[in-house]
């Protein structure tokens, strides 16, 4: 007679609560780019758009320097200074969330950043641009700032449906509207 098998149920581990990055803004920031939440590579590096395949830094460099490698290989502090000097700020819609991996689709239990508090910190703010669809889902929060809100194609490598040139053109169109083009 066979012995009955015993199946133990092992609970799956709960995803860790992750905290996002601080905003990169100053009083003269004219355009704020809002992502959804930093990916694993960005969190590990403590840098916005830290994944080497993310097109954000390549777009910025192609726009302002004409040389995509120059800015992408500059020190992170230098890149942030370049953004701020051109009137561009960075932040994310979510302050924290639970997530395994880097995909927006895996975000659970998000906590939204205090976007309303940005008005005092950035009196020169003229517009908000959401980097991708997940960020744009929360456009109602950025619209409360009383400035135009734009949806830009995601710079994430997961957005392979948009070739780089098409992403670049869309981003540059918004940059031009707010005087961020040289």
């Amino acid at each position: 007679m066979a012995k009955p098998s015993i199946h133990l149920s092992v609970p799956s581990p709960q995803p860790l609560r992750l905290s996002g990055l601080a905003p990169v803004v100053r009083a003269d920031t004219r355009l704020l780019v809002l992502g959804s939440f930093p990916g694993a590579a960005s969190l590990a590096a403590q840098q916005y758009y830290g994944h080497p395949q993310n097109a954000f830094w390549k777009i910025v460099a192609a726009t302002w320097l004409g040389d995509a490698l120059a800015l992408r290989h500059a020190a992170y502090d230098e890149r942030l200074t370049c953004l701020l000097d051109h009137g561009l700020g960075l932040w994310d819609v979510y302050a924290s969330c639970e997530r395994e991996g880097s995909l927006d689709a895996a975000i659970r239990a998000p906590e939204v950043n205090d976007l309303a508090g940005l008005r005092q910190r950035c009196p020169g703010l003229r517009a908000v641009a959401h980097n991708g669809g997940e960020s744009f889902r929360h456009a109602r929060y950025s619209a409360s700032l009383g400035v135009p809100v734009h949806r830009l194609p995601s710079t994430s490598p997961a957005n392979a449906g948009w070739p780089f040139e098409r992403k670049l053109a869309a981003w540059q169109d918004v940059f031009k509207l707010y005087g961020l083009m040289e």
Side-chain angles (χ1 to χ4, degrees), residues 18-85:
L18 303 170
S19 294
L21 303 174
V24 176
V25 295
R26 62 185 189 202
D28 62 346
T29 296
R30 292 186 305 261
L31 177 64
L32 175 66
V33 170
L34 285 175
S36 54
F37 191 77
S42 295
L43 288 175
Q46 287 294 289
Q47 297 181 2
Y48 281 99
Y49 305 105
H51 191 287
Q53 298 304 313
N54 191 296
F56 177 80
W57 293 111
K58 187 176 178 183
I59 286 170
V60 169
T63 299
W64 294 331
L65 304 177
D67 178 2
L69 292 177
L71 191 62
R72 286 185 20 207
H73 293 295
Y76 184 64
D77 288 346
E78 291 174 32
R79 288 184 272 156
L80 295 183
T81 298
C82 181
L83 295 183
L84 292 170
D85 287 349

Side-chain angles (χ1 to χ4, degrees), residues 90-109:
L90 297 176
W91 206 15
D92 288 306
V93 169
Y94 301 134
S96 66
C97 68
E98 295 174 357
R99 184 188 65 205
E100 291 183 34
S102 292
L103 295 178
D104 284 348
I107 291 174
R108 301 287 181 261

Side-chain angles (χ1 to χ4, degrees), residues 3-9:
K3 290 185 178 182
S5 61
I6 298 174
H7 296 281
L8 297 176
S9 175

